Structures are given as C-alpha cells and as structure tokens.
Amino acid sequence: MLRKKGVALTNHLLGLLLILFALTTLNSLMAATGILWQNKHLYFLPLTFSLSIGPLFYFFVRSKIQPSFRFKRSNLIHFIIPLIQFLFYLSIGFRSTEYKSMIWREVVYPYVQYIEEALLITLGLYYLLKVLTLLKRKIPEQFWKKPVYIWLRRFTKSFLVILIIHSFYETSSWVATEMFDYNIFNNIWMVLPLKIADASLSLLILSLIHI
C-alpha cells in the first residue's frame, strides 16, 4: 500500500490482496505443518480470506487497465460472501477449544468445508473469466500498456490452471473420502502436484508487485 507508482486505488487493492493472501497462506501452512494440531486454540482464527482473492484480483486488474475506474458502493456486493466468511471465523476464532471442537463436528466437517470449497471454485472461475474478458479488449496504443496487458493475460491463465488443479483435487478428495474412506492428502506423492501449484500461486501473486 506504500507504493507511489500508479493509481492510488490500484495500489490499495494490490496491498489488500497481498495481505489477505499472506494471511490465508499462513493459515494453510500452520495446518500443513501440524501447528494447528499441536495448538488447537489456534483453530478457526479469522485468517482465511480465500473468497476475497477473486473479487480483489478482478478490481485490481480493472483499476490497472482502466485508470478512470472508481470504486462505487454498488461494487460492494462482490464482497458480501467474503464478509460472511470473515464474520463466521471471527465469531468462533476466539472461543474455547471445546466450542471449536463442537463447531468442527457439527457444522464445519459436515457442511461448511464443502460449501467453502464449492464457493472458492465457483467464484474463482467466475472472476478469472471476468478478468480474461476485460483483457480480451483491444490493447491501447500506448507503448507501456501492451506489455501490461500481455503479462496480465498470462498471469490470469496461469491462475486459472492452478484453480483447475485445485478443483480436481478437491473433487477427487470428496470422492475418495465418501466412496473409499481414503484421504488422498495423507499421500505425499499424490498431493505433490498440488503443493507445487500452491507454491507457484504464491510466486505469481508476489510478482504482481512488479507490474
């Protein structure tokens, strides 16, 4: 958010995108490394903003290629679902371990985790396709805009591929769990492509700083 280059709205959106992505990644890393399992009071802290990434990226690209764009109140509708996600974790994140265990058994495990993943995939596809639609317009003649357009197209297509990989794994995990009572995420070799995709996404997001 402290970058002086470019439009202020673009910089603010990029800063918020980087912060929320970093917090979401931190939460995932704590889960993957067993930190949450060893410190159960840290479960469900309001660090997950996965549903905010899509709309933030869309408005970042829009403000980047349309400097005259102004964020309006009507645009806030895009952040209703992300806000609900945040409020859900905020409402339970600082409660007792016993309460969190109950929420996991009765709410998150049977319902919320599947709803959240479905929304992540659906909204992710929706906003990435909206970005690609924006970038399909004729590239302006200004010499500095052409490489920005080309880079953003490549970035968005790469982002889309990573989301498709995630969608495949989430669907496969659900099928394996429900039909065979097998957790594919316990097999390191099976999830290796997913881990590579996650690492690639982190590098892609960080590379936004340089455009």
Side-chain angles (χ1 to χ4, degrees):
M1 292 185 184
L2 299 179
R3 296 171 73 215
K4 295 181 180 179
K5 178 184 175 183
V7 180
L9 176 61
T10 303
N11 294 335
H12 292 157
L13 288 170
L14 176 58
L16 186 58
L17 175 62
L18 291 173
I19 291 171
L20 298 189
F21 179 78
L23 291 173
T24 303
T25 301
L26 173 63
N27 189 70
S28 298
L29 285 174
M30 289 196 299
T33 56
I35 293 176
L36 294 183
W37 177 254
Q38 296 170 8
N39 302 273
K40 293 183 173 59
H41 62 282
L42 297 178
Y43 270 111
F44 301 133
L45 288 178
L47 299 175
T48 300
F49 298 91
S50 55
L51 302 182
S52 301
I53 305 302
L56 281 174
F57 179 62
Y58 167 71
F59 284 112
F60 163 72
V61 172
R62 189 171 174 184
S63 65
K64 184 71 176 179
I65 66 175
Q66 300 174 351
S68 60
F69 170 74
R70 293 293 180 268
F71 196 87
K72 302 176 182 178
R73 286 186 179 180
S74 58
N75 297 135
L76 291 174
I77 192 172
H78 293 270
F79 295 94
I80 292 177
I81 293 177
L83 179 61
I84 291 173
Q85 181 189 39
F86 171 70
L87 292 177
F88 172 75
Y89 287 110
L90 182 65
S91 67
I92 62 176
F94 302 100
R95 305 289 290 271
S96 67
T97 303
E98 292 74 17
Y99 181 81
K100 291 180 181 181
S101 297
M102 182 273 292
I103 290 294
W104 166 254
R105 291 191 310 271
E106 300 184 11
V107 181
V108 176
Y109 180 73
Y111 307 113
V112 171
Q113 64 172 337
Y114 298 111
I115 295 173
E116 198 170 39
E117 288 298 335
L119 286 172
L120 175 61
I121 294 170
T122 304
L123 294 177
L125 288 172
Y126 172 74
Y127 284 108
L128 288 177
L129 292 175
K130 278 179 72 71
V131 169
L132 287 175
T133 300
L134 280 176
L135 296 173
K136 279 183 179 178
R137 298 175 182 175
K138 184 179 179 181
I139 298 177
E141 294 300 323
Q142 293 97 319
F143 74 93
W144 63 270
K145 282 193 175 183
K146 185 172 183 178
V148 171
Y149 268 64
I150 293 173
W151 191 93
L152 283 172
R153 284 176 183 170
R154 291 174 179 172
F155 176 95
T156 305
K157 289 177 180 178
S158 299
F159 203 161
L160 187 59
V161 170
I162 293 172
L163 181 61
I164 291 172
I165 292 173
H166 264 273
S167 303
F168 170 78
Y169 269 93
E170 292 301 332
T171 304
S172 300
S173 173
W174 182 81
V175 172
T177 302
E178 294 297 322
M179 298 185 65
F180 306 104
D181 195 26
Y182 180 73
N183 187 349
I184 64 173
F185 293 107
N186 289 334
N187 188 317
I188 188 172
W189 295 108
M190 281 190 176
V191 298
L192 183 60
L194 181 62
K195 299 303 180 184
I196 294 174
D198 286 340
S200 300
L201 178 58
S202 298
L203 293 175
L204 278 174
I205 294 292
L206 287 175
S207 67
L208 287 172
I209 298 174
H210 302 293
I211 67 169

